[in-house]
Amino acid sequence: MRIVMVGSGYVGLVSGACFADFGHEVVCVDKAEEKITALNKGVMPIYEPGLDLLVGNNKAAGRLSFTTDLGPAVEAADVVFIAVGTPSRRGDGHADVSYVYAAAAEIAQSIKGFTVVVTKSTVPVGTGDEVERIIRETNPDADFAVVSNPEFLREGAAIDDFKRPDRIVIGLSDDRARAVMTEVYRPLYLNQSPLVFTGRRTSELIKYAANAFLAMKITFINEIADLCERVGADVQDVSRGIGLDGRIGAKFLHAGPGYGGSCFPKDTLALVKTAQDHDSPVRLIETTIAINDNRKRAMGRRVIAALGGDVRGKKIALLGLTFKPNTDDMRDSPAIAIAQTLQDSGAIVSGFDPEGMENARQLINIEFASGPYQAAEGASAVVLVTEWNQFRALDLSRLKSSMAAPVFVDLRNVYRAPEVEAHGFTYHGVGKAD
Ligand code: UDX
């Protein structure tokens, strides 16, 4: 299949490289000239484990190329994926689909022969209908079908998620498009990954419902964690105790500082807006958003409480700044709200992140250290914010030796209290009675 990926950001690049790896001929298009020039030189615009190798191998094999020139690529394509961004619209929280519509209009001008146009970007219900209308209006002679095929990729594990998906959701009503999409996903289909064919609007909603459910699941366990602290229970045991129930499932039950990232905050908000517009409010999700927003600052207050209530002039070290490990993504990371809350109370905040330092510099104004031990020098507390592997086996004696006071706040429950306390620290986990 000849595939064009419009938008070479996170989703477009990972999907394009994986499709090429399946043996398809893929052209990734992006308007940003510097991004395409860099990709042609083998420089990745994002950090994602394994992506540089995957891109390099498929480029060398002649199956993957990069261009700013959409027209010729679309003319030759069997399938064109739209994988441009759909950020939260400033002011009202609706998903901004203007980039999707602009891409649709541009694609329409170059369609030759039967072409399947697929929205891979996360788009509100009804966007596919509008894409179809735009293409028909721009090019009335075009022979095409519009399909919805949402992505379910986790940052840091995106290639694995693409190649071993729990399911592939495809929303369409056209038989020719169904045959094309089956061919596109043939290698996964042969691997027994379930293809869920459904209507286009249903497919669009599935993406939002999945992300909202996961955000709600995390928020649920975070509230239970707070309760555990009050009643003398242990949230990790609660997670295990409920997660072994097959109806609940063990995943996404890790209590922590609240969810962040590019998807959950944006998609939950967009779902709330769509639901309100259709007079069918999703109150569970409205509440989820409010709880999660509050929680991030509450984590800062938790650190202040761990230091006895006064942090003025004290140094506090944040270990991990990204919203989760194995990414350089700082979007909506709890570290931002935590740093601000601490600074608002007069603390001096230092921090270190293995991959996120560059992005963090754009968002927070803290002392950036060259490693975890450097960040902790002279600090009255270390706060483990993101569970990077390199923070899982810290030399606790070394850490403590340079600190002003031995307080360890573990917002990801990476450590067990006795092992940290054995080194002379006061330890505070999440959802555990102190
Ligand atoms: C998510 C979805 O998982 C993915 O399917 C979708 O396509 C995009 O959004 P991502 O944002 O990359 O992926 O990260 P994910 O691993 O889902 O984590 C999201 C946030 O939830 C992180 O801040 C993480 O720390 C937090 N989280 C996750 C928890 O606090 N507890 C958990 O048990 C799981």
Side-chain angles (χ1 to χ4, degrees):
M1 287 269 132
R2 279 161 304 180
I3 295 176
V4 170
M5 198 58 68
V6 180
S8 299
Y10 198 85
V11 171
L13 197 52
V14 171
S15 308
C18 287
F19 279 138
D21 214 44
F22 290 168
H24 297 307
E25 209 179 292
V26 181
V27 183
C28 288
V29 182
D30 204 285
K31 281 204 176 340
E33 197 131 2
E34 62 290 353
K35 193 186 272 182
I36 294 299
T37 311
L39 280 166
N40 274 323
K41 286 187 192 144
V43 179
M44 298 301 111
I46 46 155
Y47 171 76
E48 178 65 29
L51 186 61
D52 45 359
L53 203 67
L54 195 71
V55 167
N57 287 346
N58 284 285
K59 209 166 146 274
R63 292 189 295 264
L64 181 63
S65 59
F66 301 98
T67 182
T68 51
D69 202 359
L70 183 138
V74 169
E75 274 179 28
D78 301 302
V79 193
V80 181
F81 283 87
I82 301 178
V84 296
T86 51
S88 280
R89 203 160 62 189
R90 260 173 205 282
D92 65 2
H94 272 285
D96 179 352
V97 281
S98 57
Y99 301 111
V100 174
Y101 294 157
E106 218 180 320
I107 291 163
Q109 291 166 15
S110 300
I111 286 180
K112 277 228 170 84
F114 178 64
T115 307
V116 179
V117 178
V118 189
T119 49
K120 203 159 224 351
S121 310
T122 300
V123 292
V125 180
T127 303
D129 301 357
E130 185 61 13
V131 166
E132 187 173 310
R133 194 193 62 75
I134 291 170
I135 297 177
R136 185 161 298 126
E137 202 175 278
T138 314
N139 181 356
D141 298 330
D143 185 14
F144 70 102
V146 174
V147 171
S148 157
N149 171 221
E151 52 84 16
F152 299 98
L153 309 176
R154 282 167 307 160
E155 292 186 17
I159 294 170
D160 205 51
D161 281 352
F162 195 96
K163 293 193 166 178
R164 271 174 283 276
D166 290 338
R167 76 315 202 178
I168 300 146
V169 176
I170 302 175
L172 46 70
S173 54
D174 180 296
D175 284 342
R176 287 184 299 170
R178 186 180 172 125
V180 169
M181 292 306 285
T182 306
E183 190 57 32
V184 164
Y185 280 108
R186 200 175 147 78
L188 295 182
Y189 181 60
L190 295 177
N191 261 348
Q192 319 269 315
S193 300
L195 296 192
V196 179
F197 282 102
T198 178
R200 202 163 57 200
R201 285 178 164 244
T202 306
S203 165
E204 289 167 342
L205 187 58
I206 285 172
K207 170 64 197 248
Y208 282 101
N211 274 356
F213 187 87
L214 292 171
M216 190 174 67
K217 197 171 178 189
I218 295 166
T219 305
F220 172 81
I221 202 65
N222 283 342
E223 281 208 311
I224 294 294
D226 287 350
L227 182 59
C228 284
E229 289 168 17
R230 296 297 167 99
V231 301
D234 183 316
V235 75
Q236 283 176 298
D237 290 346
V238 173
S239 292
R240 187 168 149 72
I242 64 173
L244 284 169
D245 185 327
R247 293 167 301 176
I248 296 174
K251 291 181 180 163
F252 277 67
L253 282 180
H254 299 290
Y259 62 78
S262 65
C263 289
F264 288 173
K266 159 175 91 69
D267 294 348
T268 45
L269 199 59
L271 180 63
V272 162
K273 294 294 166 188
T274 301
Q276 283 170 356
D277 283 356
H278 289 80
D279 239 348
S280 181
V282 283
R283 286 181 291 261
L284 282 171
I285 308 308
E286 290 174 15
T287 306
T288 295
I289 294 171
I291 295 170
N292 194 65
D293 284 350
N294 280 334
R295 185 168 184 83
K296 294 179 186 172
R297 279 189 83 84
M299 291 299 112
R301 292 197 295 276
R302 171 183 293 247
V303 176
I304 296 169
L307 283 170
D310 182 15
V311 292
R312 191 157 300 279
K314 290 182 183 162
K315 179 171 163 180
I316 295 166
L318 305 184
L319 305 189
L321 301 170
T322 50
F323 80 99
K324 66 173 203 173
N326 298 324
T327 176
D328 60 357
D329 201 335
M330 280 294 296
R331 282 176 283 182
D332 278 308
S333 172
I336 301 169
I338 294 169
Q340 284 164 351
T341 308
L342 295 173
Q343 287 173 330
D344 289 348
S345 296
I348 300 152
V349 179
S350 66
F352 169 74
D353 190 276
E355 295 293 337
M357 302 281 263
E358 214 175 294
N359 288 333
R361 277 179 215 280
Q362 321 292 320
L363 293 164
I364 45 177
N365 187 11
I366 62 172
E367 287 177 10
F368 290 97
S370 55
Y373 302 102
Q374 290 75 7
E377 266 169 33
S380 297
V382 289
V383 186
L384 203 161
V385 182
T386 316
E387 69 278 31
W388 285 91
N389 274 340
Q390 76 172 87
F391 303 145
R392 288 183 184 274
L394 291 168
D395 179 340
L396 294 171
S397 303
R398 180 177 167 199
L399 196 72
K400 180 173 169 263
S401 65
S402 67
M403 290 176 66
V407 176
F408 195 108
V409 184
D410 181 0
L411 297 181
R412 299 286 184 170
N413 288 339
V414 165
Y415 289 90
R416 302 269 158 203
E419 58 179 323
V420 185
E421 284 163 359
H423 288 85
F425 278 97
T426 316
Y427 177 83
H428 304 268
V430 170
K432 291 164 180 282
D434 282 334

